[in-house]
Amino acid sequence: MPPQITTPEMEIALANYFGFRKNLIVPNVKWGLRLNNKPMHECDLLLLTKSRYLWEVEIKVSKADLIADKKKAHGHINGNVKRLYFAVPHYIEGYLEHIPDRAGIILVNKPRTRLSCKVVRPAKNEKGYQLSDKEVLKMARLGAMRIWNLKQKLKDTVA
């Protein structure tokens, strides 16, 4: 059995793959982001490109997690998102039929010490919504808020 890849490991690998220096990438968007008069559904990773379009990355770390995703009422359909990707560990590659056809697929592998990402199916472009300055700032604020929760967790583990 290959070593299991955790959600935080997947988040880091994906942020490196998509380039957190050139794109605004915010993990765990659950609240606080209403765009184009539409609330956003929960997103594991939300990426804002330089052209101000959103890409969603849904992270699945197990077969059961992948299959259960089909029960979500929103179906990852939102007029705000231009591209949808599912990122899965390489060891559940045999279950990709559970991923919607419109979604891109990224396989995450752990060869030795550093995880790698490979797009095995590109995402289909949807119309999407181009964010305004105010909405970009709102998303950046949500991302910055994550830093303080992380710092608190790190402090608590060291103490």
Side-chain angles (χ1 to χ4, degrees):
M1 177 108 170
Q4 299 296 299
I5 300 173
T6 66
T7 299
E9 287 176 316
M10 299 260 302
E11 289 171 337
I12 292 166
L14 291 160
N16 286 325
Y17 177 77
F18 283 113
F20 60 85
R21 293 181 192 277
K22 67 178 182 175
N23 297 300
L24 176 59
I25 304 172
V26 181
N28 306 318
V29 175
K30 294 183 172 87
W31 55 267
L33 196 58
R34 185 177 180 85
L35 305 169
N36 195 22
N37 292 318
K38 297 176 191 166
M40 286 295 300
H41 55 266
E42 181 180 332
C43 297
D44 293 335
L45 212 60
L46 199 56
L47 183 144
L48 180 67
T49 66
K50 283 184 176 182
S51 57
R52 297 182 176 210
Y53 285 102
L54 293 174
W55 296 1
E56 177 186 357
V57 182
E58 183 66 13
I59 298 171
K60 298 297 164 194
V61 295
S62 70
K63 172 188 162 190
D65 190 20
L66 181 60
I67 293 169
D69 193 80
K70 292 183 349 182
K71 296 177 185 170
K72 288 183 177 175
H74 59 72
H76 300 281
I77 296 171
N78 183 301
N80 295 324
V81 176
K82 188 163 184 76
R83 291 187 188 172
L84 169 65
Y85 287 93
F86 272 67
V88 299
H90 61 93
Y91 49 82
I92 61 170
E93 185 176 6
Y95 302 96
L96 301 182
E97 72 271 8
H98 296 284
I99 296 173
D101 291 338
R102 71 183 192 287
I105 299 173
I106 301 170
L107 288 182
V108 180
N109 198 352
K110 193 175 191 176
R112 289 195 185 99
T113 56
R114 193 170 179 158
L115 287 120
S116 64
C117 297
K118 179 181 177 186
V119 174
V120 296
R121 183 172 78 196
K124 293 185 177 165
N125 275 328
E126 303 291 334
K127 183 178 178 189
Y129 168 71
Q130 200 168 27
L131 274 66
S132 68
D133 288 345
K134 185 177 178 181
E135 292 164 330
V136 169
L137 187 58
K138 186 186 291 189
M139 187 171 161
R141 181 177 172 268
L142 286 175
M145 288 168 59
R146 303 294 187 272
I147 293 168
W148 302 110
N149 289 333
L150 177 60
K151 283 184 176 272
Q152 184 65 51
K153 286 178 186 175
L154 288 171
K155 179 189 158 292
D156 293 346
T157 58
V158 173

